[in-house]
Amino acid sequence: MADNFLEKQMEDYRAGRRRNPVSHSAGRRPGIYPLKYPAQTVIVVNADNEGAEQVIAQFIAAGTTVAFTANADGSAIAQRVGGRFYPGGLEQLVTDLQKRNEQPQTIIAFNIEDLQSGATKYPSVNARIFISRTQADTPPTGATCTTIVHSGNLSAVAMMAVALAHPNAAISGTITIR
């Protein structure tokens, strides 16, 4: 008979008896849900807006490469959640991605002008996501994008943006999150 814990463990191992496995935390941060996607590059234009940091964090957790621009606090966002910050704006971002031979698969913007400038730089990108707080800010008819209209549930917005950016997602139109 085993007189200590380790001897008992060794006896069980040798006898082929299995113990219930101990579950361990996945080590994820609260509010970040790990969805793994194929390698892809996501551009977030003007990450100064509300919810941009959560969107970037959610994409980083999904294993994507995130490149973003911001007018203020961009380096602080990059330090907190990851991603590549381009203080020189969209022109600097585009130049660097070309040097790296990276083609973005998704463009995310928080205002119409940023969405249009991102789409102009990368017309071949099909996944364009526009995030807005009001229905009145929706892009003009004919704009190729998916709009997420939200009332402040930023965690849900971030999760929806990641789901819409999946290569197999075929959703377009307006999605409202309350």
Side-chain angles (χ1 to χ4, degrees), residues 119-145:
T120 302
K121 299 291 181 190
Y122 292 103
S124 63
V125 174
N126 292 327
R128 299 179 189 144
I129 301 171
F130 174 60
I131 299 173
S132 174
R133 262 183 95 67
T134 65
Q135 189 75 32
D137 289 341
T138 56
T141 305
T144 308
C145 73

PDB file of all heavy atoms in Angstrom, residues 119-145:
ATOM      1  N   ALA A 119     -10.777  51.257 -48.561  1.00  0.00           N
ATOM      2  CA  ALA A 119     -11.250  50.517 -49.725  1.00  0.00           C
ATOM      3  C   ALA A 119     -10.573  51.008 -51.000  1.00  0.00           C
ATOM      4  O   ALA A 119     -10.318  50.222 -51.918  1.00  0.00           O
ATOM      5  CB  ALA A 119     -12.760  50.651 -49.847  1.00  0.00           C
ATOM      6  N   THR A 120     -10.237  52.289 -51.050  1.00  0.00           N
ATOM      7  CA  THR A 120      -9.532  52.831 -52.212  1.00  0.00           C
ATOM      8  C   THR A 120      -8.120  52.261 -52.296  1.00  0.00           C
ATOM      9  O   THR A 120      -7.637  51.936 -53.377  1.00  0.00           O
ATOM     10  CB  THR A 120      -9.468  54.376 -52.135  1.00  0.00           C
ATOM     11  OG1 THR A 120     -10.806  54.872 -52.069  1.00  0.00           O
ATOM     12  CG2 THR A 120      -8.749  54.959 -53.331  1.00  0.00           C
ATOM     13  N   LYS A 121      -7.453  52.134 -51.147  1.00  0.00           N
ATOM     14  CA  LYS A 121      -6.092  51.594 -51.122  1.00  0.00           C
ATOM     15  C   LYS A 121      -6.068  50.103 -51.444  1.00  0.00           C
ATOM     16  O   LYS A 121      -5.119  49.598 -52.030  1.00  0.00           O
ATOM     17  CB  LYS A 121      -5.438  51.810 -49.749  1.00  0.00           C
ATOM     18  CG  LYS A 121      -5.306  53.253 -49.347  1.00  0.00           C
ATOM     19  CD  LYS A 121      -4.298  53.974 -50.200  1.00  0.00           C
ATOM     20  CE  LYS A 121      -4.186  55.410 -49.725  1.00  0.00           C
ATOM     21  NZ  LYS A 121      -3.399  56.226 -50.633  1.00  0.00           N
ATOM     22  N   TYR A 122      -7.094  49.381 -51.016  1.00  0.00           N
ATOM     23  CA  TYR A 122      -7.165  47.936 -51.216  1.00  0.00           C
ATOM     24  C   TYR A 122      -8.523  47.562 -51.815  1.00  0.00           C
ATOM     25  O   TYR A 122      -9.380  47.012 -51.133  1.00  0.00           O
ATOM     26  CB  TYR A 122      -6.947  47.192 -49.898  1.00  0.00           C
ATOM     27  CG  TYR A 122      -5.556  47.307 -49.360  1.00  0.00           C
ATOM     28  CD1 TYR A 122      -5.262  48.155 -48.305  1.00  0.00           C
ATOM     29  CD2 TYR A 122      -4.523  46.577 -49.931  1.00  0.00           C
ATOM     30  CE1 TYR A 122      -3.972  48.270 -47.815  1.00  0.00           C
ATOM     31  CE2 TYR A 122      -3.231  46.686 -49.452  1.00  0.00           C
ATOM     32  CZ  TYR A 122      -2.961  47.527 -48.395  1.00  0.00           C
ATOM     33  OH  TYR A 122      -1.688  47.631 -47.916  1.00  0.00           O
ATOM     34  N   PRO A 123      -8.731  47.827 -53.104  1.00  0.00           N
ATOM     35  CA  PRO A 123     -10.044  47.525 -53.699  1.00  0.00           C
ATOM     36  C   PRO A 123     -10.360  46.035 -53.776  1.00  0.00           C
ATOM     37  O   PRO A 123     -11.521  45.650 -53.870  1.00  0.00           O
ATOM     38  CB  PRO A 123      -9.944  48.143 -55.101  1.00  0.00           C
ATOM     39  CG  PRO A 123      -8.486  48.267 -55.375  1.00  0.00           C
ATOM     40  CD  PRO A 123      -7.812  48.436 -54.056  1.00  0.00           C
ATOM     41  N   SER A 124      -9.339  45.172 -53.713  1.00  0.00           N
ATOM     42  CA  SER A 124      -9.576  43.728 -53.824  1.00  0.00           C
ATOM     43  C   SER A 124     -10.040  43.098 -52.516  1.00  0.00           C
ATOM     44  O   SER A 124     -10.441  41.937 -52.494  1.00  0.00           O
ATOM     45  CB  SER A 124      -8.308  43.027 -54.300  1.00  0.00           C
ATOM     46  OG  SER A 124      -7.284  43.190 -53.340  1.00  0.00           O
ATOM     47  N   VAL A 125      -9.999  43.846 -51.402  1.00  0.00           N
ATOM     48  CA  VAL A 125     -10.414  43.292 -50.116  1.00  0.00           C
ATOM     49  C   VAL A 125     -11.939  43.232 -50.068  1.00  0.00           C
ATOM     50  O   VAL A 125     -12.618  44.252 -50.212  1.00  0.00           O
ATOM     51  CB  VAL A 125      -9.861  44.140 -48.946  1.00  0.00           C
ATOM     52  CG1 VAL A 125     -10.418  43.645 -47.620  1.00  0.00           C
ATOM     53  CG2 VAL A 125      -8.352  44.109 -48.944  1.00  0.00           C
ATOM     54  N   ASN A 126     -12.458  42.035 -49.870  1.00  0.00           N
ATOM     55  CA  ASN A 126     -13.912  41.854 -49.858  1.00  0.00           C
ATOM     56  C   ASN A 126     -14.535  42.081 -48.495  1.00  0.00           C
ATOM     57  O   ASN A 126     -15.668  42.518 -48.391  1.00  0.00           O
ATOM     58  CB  ASN A 126     -14.277  40.455 -50.342  1.00  0.00           C
ATOM     59  CG  ASN A 126     -13.955  40.275 -51.806  1.00  0.00           C
ATOM     60  OD1 ASN A 126     -14.045  41.217 -52.580  1.00  0.00           O
ATOM     61  ND2 ASN A 126     -13.561  39.082 -52.184  1.00  0.00           N
ATOM     62  N   ALA A 127     -13.814  41.749 -47.430  1.00  0.00           N
ATOM     63  CA  ALA A 127     -14.370  41.879 -46.084  1.00  0.00           C
ATOM     64  C   ALA A 127     -14.118  43.295 -45.575  1.00  0.00           C
ATOM     65  O   ALA A 127     -13.019  43.627 -45.139  1.00  0.00           O
ATOM     66  CB  ALA A 127     -13.758  40.849 -45.149  1.00  0.00           C
ATOM     67  N   ARG A 128     -15.140  44.123 -45.647  1.00  0.00           N
ATOM     68  CA  ARG A 128     -15.069  45.484 -45.132  1.00  0.00           C
ATOM     69  C   ARG A 128     -16.138  45.613 -44.062  1.00  0.00           C
ATOM     70  O   ARG A 128     -17.306  45.343 -44.308  1.00  0.00           O
ATOM     71  CB  ARG A 128     -15.308  46.491 -46.241  1.00  0.00           C
ATOM     72  CG  ARG A 128     -14.274  46.405 -47.335  1.00  0.00           C
ATOM     73  CD  ARG A 128     -14.547  47.402 -48.426  1.00  0.00           C
ATOM     74  NE  ARG A 128     -13.656  47.147 -49.542  1.00  0.00           N
ATOM     75  CZ  ARG A 128     -14.000  47.285 -50.800  1.00  0.00           C
ATOM     76  NH1 ARG A 128     -15.206  47.684 -51.108  1.00  0.00           N
ATOM     77  NH2 ARG A 128     -13.142  47.033 -51.751  1.00  0.00           N
ATOM     78  N   ILE A 129     -15.712  46.029 -42.882  1.00  0.00           N
ATOM     79  CA  ILE A 129     -16.639  46.117 -41.750  1.00  0.00           C
ATOM     80  C   ILE A 129     -16.662  47.553 -41.262  1.00  0.00           C
ATOM     81  O   ILE A 129     -15.626  48.139 -40.970  1.00  0.00           O
ATOM     82  CB  ILE A 129     -16.214  45.168 -40.617  1.00  0.00           C
ATOM     83  CG1 ILE A 129     -16.173  43.717 -41.143  1.00  0.00           C
ATOM     84  CG2 ILE A 129     -17.163  45.284 -39.425  1.00  0.00           C
ATOM     85  CD1 ILE A 129     -15.564  42.730 -40.174  1.00  0.00           C
ATOM     86  N   PHE A 130     -17.861  48.115 -41.179  1.00  0.00           N
ATOM     87  CA  PHE A 130     -18.069  49.474 -40.702  1.00  0.00           C
ATOM     88  C   PHE A 130     -18.794  49.386 -39.373  1.00  0.00           C
ATOM     89  O   PHE A 130     -19.857  48.775 -39.270  1.00  0.00           O
ATOM     90  CB  PHE A 130     -18.897  50.263 -41.724  1.00  0.00           C
ATOM     91  CG  PHE A 130     -19.293  51.634 -41.272  1.00  0.00           C
ATOM     92  CD1 PHE A 130     -18.334  52.577 -40.945  1.00  0.00           C
ATOM     93  CD2 PHE A 130     -20.624  51.983 -41.182  1.00  0.00           C
ATOM     94  CE1 PHE A 130     -18.698  53.842 -40.523  1.00  0.00           C
ATOM     95  CE2 PHE A 130     -20.998  53.245 -40.766  1.00  0.00           C
ATOM     96  CZ  PHE A 130     -20.030  54.179 -40.440  1.00  0.00           C
ATOM     97  N   ILE A 131     -18.212  49.981 -38.317  1.00  0.00           N
ATOM     98  CA  ILE A 131     -18.802  49.914 -36.973  1.00  0.00           C
ATOM     99  C   ILE A 131     -19.281  51.296 -36.591  1.00  0.00           C
ATOM    100  O   ILE A 131     -18.514  52.258 -36.624  1.00  0.00           O
ATOM    101  CB  ILE A 131     -17.770  49.385 -35.954  1.00  0.00           C
ATOM    102  CG1 ILE A 131     -17.322  47.970 -36.357  1.00  0.00           C
ATOM    103  CG2 ILE A 131     -18.348  49.397 -34.543  1.00  0.00           C
ATOM    104  CD1 ILE A 131     -16.192  47.409 -35.533  1.00  0.00           C
ATOM    105  N   SER A 132     -20.551  51.400 -36.207  1.00  0.00           N
ATOM    106  CA  SER A 132     -21.154  52.694 -35.912  1.00  0.00           C
ATOM    107  C   SER A 132     -22.080  52.599 -34.707  1.00  0.00           C
ATOM    108  O   SER A 132     -22.623  51.541 -34.414  1.00  0.00           O
ATOM    109  CB  SER A 132     -21.952  53.169 -37.132  1.00  0.00           C
ATOM    110  OG  SER A 132     -22.652  54.339 -36.844  1.00  0.00           O
ATOM    111  N   ARG A 133     -22.271  53.733 -34.045  1.00  0.00           N
ATOM    112  CA  ARG A 133     -23.213  53.775 -32.920  1.00  0.00           C
ATOM    113  C   ARG A 133     -24.622  54.148 -33.344  1.00  0.00           C
ATOM    114  O   ARG A 133     -25.569  53.934 -32.589  1.00  0.00           O
ATOM    115  CB  ARG A 133     -22.728  54.769 -31.866  1.00  0.00           C
ATOM    116  CG  ARG A 133     -21.999  54.038 -30.748  1.00  0.00           C
ATOM    117  CD  ARG A 133     -21.568  54.931 -29.649  1.00  0.00           C
ATOM    118  NE  ARG A 133     -22.374  55.103 -28.495  1.00  0.00           N
ATOM    119  CZ  ARG A 133     -22.655  54.189 -27.585  1.00  0.00           C
ATOM    120  NH1 ARG A 133     -22.260  52.964 -27.739  1.00  0.00           N
ATOM    121  NH2 ARG A 133     -23.342  54.489 -26.513  1.00  0.00           N
ATOM    122  N   THR A 134     -24.782  54.710 -34.512  1.00  0.00           N
ATOM    123  CA  THR A 134     -26.123  55.112 -34.945  1.00  0.00           C
ATOM    124  C   THR A 134     -26.418  54.591 -36.340  1.00  0.00           C
ATOM    125  O   THR A 134     -25.526  54.468 -37.172  1.00  0.00           O
ATOM    126  CB  THR A 134     -26.281  56.647 -34.954  1.00  0.00           C
ATOM    127  OG1 THR A 134     -25.407  57.189 -35.930  1.00  0.00           O
ATOM    128  CG2 THR A 134     -25.991  57.242 -33.594  1.00  0.00           C
ATOM    129  N   GLN A 135     -27.663  54.334 -36.585  1.00  0.00           N
ATOM    130  CA  GLN A 135     -28.119  53.865 -37.889  1.00  0.00           C
ATOM    131  C   GLN A 135     -27.895  54.935 -38.955  1.00  0.00           C
ATOM    132  O   GLN A 135     -27.674  54.629 -40.121  1.00  0.00           O
ATOM    133  CB  GLN A 135     -29.611  53.498 -37.806  1.00  0.00           C
ATOM    134  CG  GLN A 135     -30.150  52.805 -39.022  1.00  0.00           C
ATOM    135  CD  GLN A 135     -29.714  51.352 -39.105  1.00  0.00           C
ATOM    136  OE1 GLN A 135     -29.531  50.712 -38.085  1.00  0.00           O
ATOM    137  NE2 GLN A 135     -29.557  50.842 -40.298  1.00  0.00           N
ATOM    138  N   ALA A 136     -27.906  56.200 -38.555  1.00  0.00           N
ATOM    139  CA  ALA A 136     -27.748  57.299 -39.510  1.00  0.00           C
ATOM    140  C   ALA A 136     -26.353  57.316 -40.132  1.00  0.00           C
ATOM    141  O   ALA A 136     -26.161  57.887 -41.203  1.00  0.00           O
ATOM    142  CB  ALA A 136     -28.017  58.628 -38.824  1.00  0.00           C
ATOM    143  N   ASP A 137     -25.370  56.692 -39.489  1.00  0.00           N
ATOM    144  CA  ASP A 137     -24.003  56.689 -39.993  1.00  0.00           C
ATOM    145  C   ASP A 137     -23.726  55.577 -40.995  1.00  0.00           C
ATOM    146  O   ASP A 137     -22.589  55.394 -41.392  1.00  0.00           O
ATOM    147  CB  ASP A 137     -23.014  56.522 -38.831  1.00  0.00           C
ATOM    148  CG  ASP A 137     -22.928  57.758 -37.963  1.00  0.00           C
ATOM    149  OD1 ASP A 137     -23.336  58.830 -38.437  1.00  0.00           O
ATOM    150  OD2 ASP A 137     -22.455  57.634 -36.829  1.00  0.00           O
ATOM    151  N   THR A 138     -24.746  54.858 -41.410  1.00  0.00           N
ATOM    152  CA  THR A 138     -24.493  53.739 -42.316  1.00  0.00           C
ATOM    153  C   THR A 138     -23.964  54.258 -43.642  1.00  0.00           C
ATOM    154  O   THR A 138     -24.305  55.349 -44.088  1.00  0.00           O
ATOM    155  CB  THR A 138     -25.759  52.899 -42.542  1.00  0.00           C
ATOM    156  OG1 THR A 138     -26.790  53.744 -43.023  1.00  0.00           O
ATOM    157  CG2 THR A 138     -26.191  52.218 -41.265  1.00  0.00           C
ATOM    158  N   PRO A 139     -23.112  53.486 -44.297  1.00  0.00           N
ATOM    159  CA  PRO A 139     -22.527  53.922 -45.560  1.00  0.00           C
ATOM    160  C   PRO A 139     -23.569  54.060 -46.652  1.00  0.00           C
ATOM    161  O   PRO A 139     -24.658  53.497 -46.543  1.00  0.00           O
ATOM    162  CB  PRO A 139     -21.517  52.833 -45.893  1.00  0.00           C
ATOM    163  CG  PRO A 139     -21.840  51.697 -45.028  1.00  0.00           C
ATOM    164  CD  PRO A 139     -22.644  52.184 -43.888  1.00  0.00           C
ATOM    165  N   PRO A 140     -23.234  54.796 -47.687  1.00  0.00           N
ATOM    166  CA  PRO A 140     -24.202  54.996 -48.763  1.00  0.00           C
ATOM    167  C   PRO A 140     -24.564  53.684 -49.451  1.00  0.00           C
ATOM    168  O   PRO A 140     -23.788  52.735 -49.445  1.00  0.00           O
ATOM    169  CB  PRO A 140     -23.488  55.946 -49.720  1.00  0.00           C
ATOM    170  CG  PRO A 140     -22.049  55.872 -49.366  1.00  0.00           C
ATOM    171  CD  PRO A 140     -21.973  55.451 -47.939  1.00  0.00           C
ATOM    172  N   THR A 141     -25.728  53.661 -50.078  1.00  0.00           N
ATOM    173  CA  THR A 141     -26.184  52.487 -50.804  1.00  0.00           C
ATOM    174  C   THR A 141     -25.177  52.149 -51.894  1.00  0.00           C
ATOM    175  O   THR A 141     -24.679  53.029 -52.578  1.00  0.00           O
ATOM    176  CB  THR A 141     -27.570  52.745 -51.428  1.00  0.00           C
ATOM    177  OG1 THR A 141     -28.448  53.162 -50.398  1.00  0.00           O
ATOM    178  CG2 THR A 141     -28.110  51.501 -52.089  1.00  0.00           C
ATOM    179  N   GLY A 142     -24.888  50.892 -52.035  1.00  0.00           N
ATOM    180  CA  GLY A 142     -23.927  50.465 -53.034  1.00  0.00           C
ATOM    181  C   GLY A 142     -22.538  50.247 -52.467  1.00  0.00           C
ATOM    182  O   GLY A 142     -21.687  49.665 -53.124  1.00  0.00           O
ATOM    183  N   ALA A 143     -22.292  50.710 -51.242  1.00  0.00           N
ATOM    184  CA  ALA A 143     -20.987  50.478 -50.624  1.00  0.00           C
ATOM    185  C   ALA A 143     -20.884  49.001 -50.266  1.00  0.00           C
ATOM    186  O   ALA A 143     -21.807  48.433 -49.701  1.00  0.00           O
ATOM    187  CB  ALA A 143     -20.824  51.338 -49.381  1.00  0.00           C
ATOM    188  N   THR A 144     -19.785  48.389 -50.608  1.00  0.00           N
ATOM    189  CA  THR A 144     -19.595  46.977 -50.343  1.00  0.00           C
ATOM    190  C   THR A 144     -19.002  46.811 -48.957  1.00  0.00           C
ATOM    191  O   THR A 144     -17.803  46.954 -48.770  1.00  0.00           O
ATOM    192  CB  THR A 144     -18.646  46.361 -51.390  1.00  0.00           C
ATOM    193  OG1 THR A 144     -19.114  46.692 -52.675  1.00  0.00           O
ATOM    194  CG2 THR A 144     -18.570  44.862 -51.231  1.00  0.00           C
ATOM    195  N   CYS A 145     -19.862  46.560 -47.969  1.00  0.00           N
ATOM    196  CA  CYS A 145     -19.381  46.344 -46.610  1.00  0.00           C
ATOM    197  C   CYS A 145     -20.504  45.787 -45.756  1.00  0.00           C
ATOM    198  O   CYS A 145     -21.657  45.772 -46.151  1.00  0.00           O
ATOM    199  CB  CYS A 145     -18.843  47.639 -45.997  1.00  0.00           C
ATOM    200  SG  CYS A 145     -20.095  48.823 -45.556  1.00  0.00           S
TER     201      CYS A 145
END
